[in-house]
Amino acid sequence: MTDQLTPVDRAKFAAAHCAADFVQDGMRVGLGTGSTAAWLVRRLGQRVRQEGLRIIAVPTSTRTSQLAREVGINVVSLDEARWLDLTIDGADEFDAELTLIKGGGGALLQEKIVATASDQMIVITDAAKEVATLGAFPLPVEVIPFGWQASKALVEEILASVDVMGRQSSLRMNGDRPYMTDEGNYILDLALGRIGNPRQLAMVLNQVPGVVENGLFVDIADQVVIGHADGKCETRDLSSGVAEVKMSQVDLADTHNIFSDL
């Protein structure tokens, strides 16, 4: 199985495998959405089956919920769990302060709600997602369908007054129809190139009528686990205000074991 994975997939697997070790028996855990988060869900399912790990999970999308149930994880709603010990999720970009761009998978609203309802958030990613300045990845902004073009025009007007390189926005499509989130909303993708002040941009975007939420995660993530294609993991912990770095190694042969039990 390992030989069939791309280097990026091996890195994602390594990050997810390392991050799964932070989950302890009895925890209430938020499960992210996306390809890296899917590896995490499979690994946690393996621990449930093989180790008897008992957790309550709150998924951030219908896709993650379906996969979690398939691998034997106990899934509940956030209203049922009320508060979470830990959320583990991927990112489309992250910088040195662990400010993130998320929402490439279309689940940014649930992801942000779940992450902020947790004592801790761990980001799992590959090294290619680390950037000096956010903005190369298009910033998703979730808007309600009613009057979305007016919201789009207001967003573009705001971009002229903030520190970004580009000001183009486009409606995310699913074939010939607008992409629709789990909440029935649309997504605008902002091609900004560079975001000079993520905190300011996040605040002003959410003041636009019709905008539900944006994909900038500021002061939410505590740790990042960066996977590498050779199975190495680098964990950076910023929760104390000073970056603490730990290295570990994952056996990539375990990718076969994760799938063989399904």
Side-chain angles (χ1 to χ4, degrees):
M1 179 66 194
T2 307
D3 294 338
Q4 300 172 10
L5 297 180
T6 66
V8 171
D9 284 336
R10 291 198 297 270
K12 291 178 178 180
F13 168 82
H17 199 287
C18 286
D21 291 340
F22 285 92
V23 179
Q24 301 176 12
D25 200 54
M27 275 189 168
R28 294 162 294 177
V29 183
L31 301 178
T33 296
S35 57
T36 312
W39 283 113
L40 169 75
V41 174
R42 294 186 182 102
R43 171 57 181 159
L44 290 175
Q46 184 186 50
R47 290 190 60 194
V48 167
R49 297 188 303 273
Q50 295 182 356
E51 303 171 18
L53 178 71
R54 296 170 300 167
I55 60 172
I56 293 173
V58 176
T60 55
S61 68
T62 54
R63 299 191 303 278
T64 299
S65 180
Q66 181 179 356
L67 177 59
R69 287 189 170 95
E70 287 175 358
V71 300
I73 296 174
N74 182 19
V75 171
V76 300
S77 69
L78 183 58
D79 287 336
E80 292 173 294
R82 296 195 175 186
W83 196 260
L84 304 176
D85 300 291
L86 173 65
T87 287
I88 305 178
D89 201 351
D92 298 304
E93 280 187 351
F94 72 97
D95 65 13
E97 279 101 33
L98 290 193
T99 302
L100 320 173
I101 286 182
K102 290 181 52 57
L108 66 99
L109 178 57
Q110 288 191 26
E111 287 173 337
K112 189 172 281 190
I113 292 172
V114 169
T116 53
S118 305
D119 289 335
Q120 185 180 23
M121 180 189 185
I122 297 177
V123 178
I124 48 177
T125 183
D126 59 276
K129 303 292 178 60
E130 183 172 14
V131 296
T133 304
L134 297 176
F137 190 91
L139 176 65
V141 176
E142 187 161 339
V143 298
I144 66 171
F146 176 81
W148 72 267
Q149 294 190 58
S151 297
K152 179 176 181 290
L154 288 169
V155 165
E156 291 174 347
E157 184 177 329
I158 278 178
L159 295 179
S161 62
V162 294
D163 185 8
V164 296
M165 184 180 298
R167 298 170 186 170
Q168 299 263 327
S169 69
S170 59
L171 180 67
R172 186 178 299 184
M173 302 297 291
N174 182 15
D176 60 353
R177 295 185 177 185
Y179 176 89
M180 189 165 288
T181 69
D182 280 354
E183 289 74 35
N185 296 320
Y186 293 166
I187 289 183
L188 302 176
D189 288 310
L190 312 187
L192 305 179
R194 179 186 58 79
I195 301 173
N197 190 333
R199 187 185 307 276
Q200 178 197 37
L201 180 59
M203 291 177 62
V204 297
L205 283 174
N206 281 5
Q207 293 174 3
V208 174
V211 169
V212 180
E213 190 53 83
N214 68 83
L216 284 166
F217 283 49
V218 183
D219 295 336
I220 295 176
D222 301 287
Q223 298 186 54
V224 60
V225 180
I226 305 169
H228 298 271
D230 61 359
K232 286 187 175 63
C233 286
E234 176 186 353
T235 301
R236 300 181 198 167
D237 187 348
L238 298 184
S239 58
S240 65
V242 179
E244 300 178 8
V245 179
K246 297 180 181 178
M247 299 298 297
S248 54
Q249 181 72 41
V250 170
D251 182 3
L252 292 176
D254 199 39
T255 55
H256 173 75
N257 296 330
I258 282 182
F259 286 103
S260 65
D261 288 346
L262 297 182

